[in-house]
Amino acid sequence: MPAQLISGTQLSQQLRADVARRAAALTAAGTPPGLAVILVGEDPASQVYVRNKVKACADTGIVSTLERYAATLSEADLLVRIAALNADPSVHGILVQMPLPRHIDPAKVIDAISTRKDVDGFSVQSAGELMAGLPGFRPCTPFGCMKMIESTGVPIKGKHAVVIGRSNTVGKPMALLLLQANATVTICHSSTPDLAYHTRQADIVVAAVGKRNTLTADMVKPGAIVIDVGMNRDDDGKLCGDVDFAGVQDIAGWITPVPGGVGPMTITMLLVNTLESAEGK
Ligand code: GUN
């Protein structure tokens, strides 16, 4: 039997309807939720991402501001701007789109954002909160992946999860979230000698590598939940993930598509984080 599809588009619709309802309540009470987005430079992909984030805010009643700066903006000027947004009570979330121009240190910029407004969950403080199991903002992509896994109704507790990829924004926080949900977690990466040995034992696989066909049908345990974080192009220029969807869908129990899977969920969890920041959670 082919795998059941976990649609990020559908799950996003449900979650965004809830965000819109709660945002309307905050607005009626006089504190509309606010997100400040900063884009430095002209990176084409970043422009698309930022446009999608701003539109998603408008669709759900979150007030967003977009500040665009030339690639020549100095690090000092960017830090001054972030300090002003930190002090602005109408701003509940601050997002500086990555990548930044090479002369700006992203770590310095991320850590200049107030922990209470770090809706990307990228700061060292937010990472530490996740590590320690304390409340705080969770990075949007792994947070969205957890919602997708939960949506299957399969209990995560006691399952073996394999995360492929160890980035600070996806792989590492994903592993910690699964661990917090009582999964047994293996993290695989580019130096793992036999990736298939690990993935074949996994009840849950999260592929976050950025390389297509990283996970093929022969590497998947029948019935597994397969979450594809990849965003790649195939030889025809078509968007595809890290998973060989056509092959793996015959083996897995659940699978996320690309597009229409993790992508929309990342933006949805940004909305959730911004809303919860405004709610004071
Ligand atoms: N660039 C690519 N993805 C992201 C993201 O989720 N947040 C930020 N700030 N920059 C990105």
Side-chain angles (χ1 to χ4, degrees), residues 49 53 95-99 120 122 266:
Y49 289 140
K53 288 170 186 177
L95 183 150
V96 180
Q97 187 66 25
M98 300 292 156
D120 259 330
F122 286 172
T266 295

Side-chain angles (χ1 to χ4, degrees), residues 35-40 50 53 78 82 85 93-101 104 106 109-110 113 118-120 122:
L35 175 68
V37 180
I38 295 179
L39 175 60
V40 186
V50 159
K53 288 170 186 177
L78 179 55
I82 290 171
L85 293 169
I94 302 170
L95 183 150
V96 180
Q97 187 66 25
M98 300 292 156
L100 287 165
I104 301 178
V109 169
I110 290 165
I113 297 170
D118 175 30
V119 287
D120 259 330
F122 286 172

Side-chain angles (χ1 to χ4, degrees), residues 33-157:
L35 175 68
V37 180
I38 295 179
L39 175 60
V40 186
E42 307 288 332
D43 180 68
S46 291
Q47 294 189 38
V48 175
Y49 289 140
V50 159
R51 199 183 317 131
N52 290 341
K53 288 170 186 177
V54 167
K55 181 177 183 306
C57 284
D59 290 346
T60 49
I62 291 174
V63 178
S64 72
T65 55
L66 172 57
E67 300 180 19
R68 302 183 60 141
Y69 297 102
T72 51
L73 180 75
S74 73
E75 184 182 273
D77 284 347
L78 179 55
L79 294 176
V80 166
R81 193 57 208 129
I82 290 171
L85 293 169
N86 282 341
D88 183 341
S90 73
V91 172
H92 304 97
I94 302 170
L95 183 150
V96 180
Q97 187 66 25
M98 300 292 156
L100 287 165
R102 291 240 297 259
H103 64 278
I104 301 178
D105 177 357
K108 229 182 198 174
V109 169
I110 290 165
D111 282 311
I113 297 170
S114 160
T115 306
R116 284 172 296 107
K117 300 189 180 187
D118 175 30
V119 287
D120 259 330
F122 286 172
S123 68
V124 170
Q125 176 76 24
S126 295
E129 286 165 349
L130 172 58
M131 179 85 184
L134 295 170
F137 293 114
R138 305 313 190 211
C140 301
T141 298
F143 194 13
C145 292
M146 287 301 287
K147 294 286 176 200
M148 297 180 100
I149 297 166
E150 287 163 10
S151 78
T152 65
V154 175
I156 298 173
K157 183 177 176 175

Side-chain angles (χ1 to χ4, degrees), residues 1 11 31 45 85 92 102 129 133 137 158-159 168 175 244 256 259-260:
M1 202 173 68
L11 187 54
T31 28
L85 293 169
H92 304 97
R102 291 240 297 259
E129 286 165 349
F137 293 114
K159 296 293 190 301
N168 288 340
D244 170 28
T256 64

Side-chain angles (χ1 to χ4, degrees), residues 170-224:
V170 184
K172 286 183 205 165
M174 186 77 240
L176 288 168
L177 286 168
L178 286 161
L179 190 62
Q180 208 165 57
N182 293 309
T184 299
V185 183
T186 302
I187 305 175
C188 298
H189 46 79
S190 49
S191 298
T192 301
D194 188 354
L195 178 61
Y197 167 80
H198 297 282
T199 58
R200 278 191 203 114
Q201 299 174 53
D203 305 299
I204 301 166
V205 183
V206 180
V209 176
K211 188 162 169 268
R212 72 190 168 104
N213 293 330
T214 296
L215 191 76
T216 49
D218 57 305
M219 300 166 73
V220 175
K221 178 174 168 178

